[in-house]
Amino acid sequence: MTPTEKAAALAARKGGTPLSALTAYDYPSARLIDACGIDILLVGDSLGMVVLGFPDTTHVTIEHMCHHTAAVARAHPQALVLGDMPIDTYNSPEQAVRHAIMLRDAGAEAVKLEGGFDQVANITAILGAGIPVIGHIGMLPQQIVSEGAYRKKGRTEADAQRLIHDALALCEAGVCAMVLESVVPDVAARITAAVNVPTIGIGCGIGTCDGEVAVLTDLLGSFPWFVPPFAKPEAHLAATISSAVLAYKRRVETQAP
Ligand code: KIV
């Protein structure tokens, strides 16, 4: 399937089997995740925090994203490879198209950017270049410096209305799906009911969206230093890694010549 066909197939899942999405930042995780039949491999800019050791996503560059997108794409996944556009790579339509093309050339089949109504011109320009786009509204991690903390969105009716307006603007612009991050559950459900493309939730509660996305390290329990409150680990790899390393150390230290 071409990227456009894959994006259309995802959009057509509205109201059907919920979409599953996971972040992937490298070749082995992409292969393993793809073999499980996950629908979207998101090369998220969470990369900056859980792989590159930055305090937040605002340090991620297009070069970081292209490097890791290319590694994921080398797994030739069935899943859609979705590349995040880092902060300050979509401050104008021309800049957005240039960077979306860099991600596409690295192997992204669609790109994701943060924002709603304010991003319509950028999204229109990227779609005009033939690159499918997924939106991202609610809590926007790239705004951490101006907002000062990661806070739930949609707590007031005015905020809920703003989010619904943003979601409808994204649909109108032509996104094939949108991520809702840390939106209060009833507002996430209202957005899901209002839009004609799948919503993909993270930290929005159960059964409020048309699908779910998780950060791989949250799922695997492999990044114990920052665990969001909504994370539901299915494994505890940090402890597994530590005990394997300690076993190796013991083995080496007891093998005197
Ligand atoms: O970068 C990322 O991992 C994301 C998810 C939180 C949706 O954008």
Side-chain angles (χ1 to χ4, degrees):
M1 272 203 270
T2 66
T4 304
E5 287 166 349
K6 278 192 185 182
L10 288 178
R13 293 270 294 276
K14 177 84 184 172
T17 307
L19 290 169
S20 56
L22 268 176
T23 63
Y25 313 104
D26 57 31
Y27 173 83
S29 56
R31 273 193 76 165
L32 290 167
I33 296 167
D34 193 53
C36 297
I38 291 289
D39 296 305
I40 299 172
L41 294 186
L42 167 61
V43 190
D45 62 357
S46 49
L47 162 78
M49 298 173 76
V50 302
V51 176
L52 301 180
F54 291 120
D56 55 54
T57 62
T58 66
H59 304 264
V60 176
T61 65
I62 193 72
E63 287 77 20
H64 293 140
M65 290 306 304
C66 288
H67 184 255
H68 288 265
T69 299
V72 167
R74 273 181 219 115
H76 299 294
Q78 295 291 308
L80 181 90
V81 177
L82 175 61
D84 251 346
M85 301 201 56
I87 191 167
D88 290 334
T89 62
Y90 50 100
N91 293 329
S92 70
E94 298 71 29
Q95 194 197 35
V97 169
R98 184 157 39 87
H99 290 119
I101 288 173
M102 285 174 75
L103 282 174
R104 183 201 58 197
D105 291 350
E109 297 173 297
V111 299
K112 176 168 80 59
L113 46 75
E114 295 184 6
F117 183 74
D118 56 318
Q119 292 305 326
V120 166
N122 292 333
I123 292 169
T124 306
I126 297 168
L127 289 171
I131 302 170
V133 179
I134 290 186
H136 184 157
I137 58 172
M139 201 277 287
L140 304 179
Q142 291 175 7
Q143 301 305 314
I144 183 64
V145 175
S146 55
E147 297 206 352
Y150 297 111
R151 290 197 191 87
K152 276 253 182 267
K153 300 295 176 181
R155 287 185 188 278
T156 64
E157 184 53 27
D159 201 27
Q161 289 297 335
R162 181 188 58 80
L163 287 167
I164 293 168
H165 176 251
D166 278 339
L168 291 172
L170 290 180
C171 283
E172 185 80 5
V175 299
C176 62
M178 69 185 74
V179 168
L180 306 185
E181 180 161 2
S182 290
V183 174
V184 296
D186 67 303
V187 177
R190 282 166 66 189
I191 295 169
T192 299
V195 298
N196 60 5
V197 297
T199 56
I200 304 171
I202 178 165
C204 296
I206 296 164
T208 62
C209 293
D210 299 302
E212 183 120 355
V213 59
V215 171
L216 185 64
T217 52
D218 292 344
L219 179 74
L220 300 182
S222 59
F223 191 84
W225 307 281
F226 178 82
V227 182
F230 51 78
K232 291 196 189 74
E234 298 285 354
H236 300 281
L237 288 200
T240 305
I241 291 169
S242 297
S243 57
V245 172
L246 287 170
Y248 166 75
K249 181 170 181 281
R250 269 193 304 274
R251 177 154 53 84
V252 170
E253 289 177 354
T254 53
Q255 280 174 354

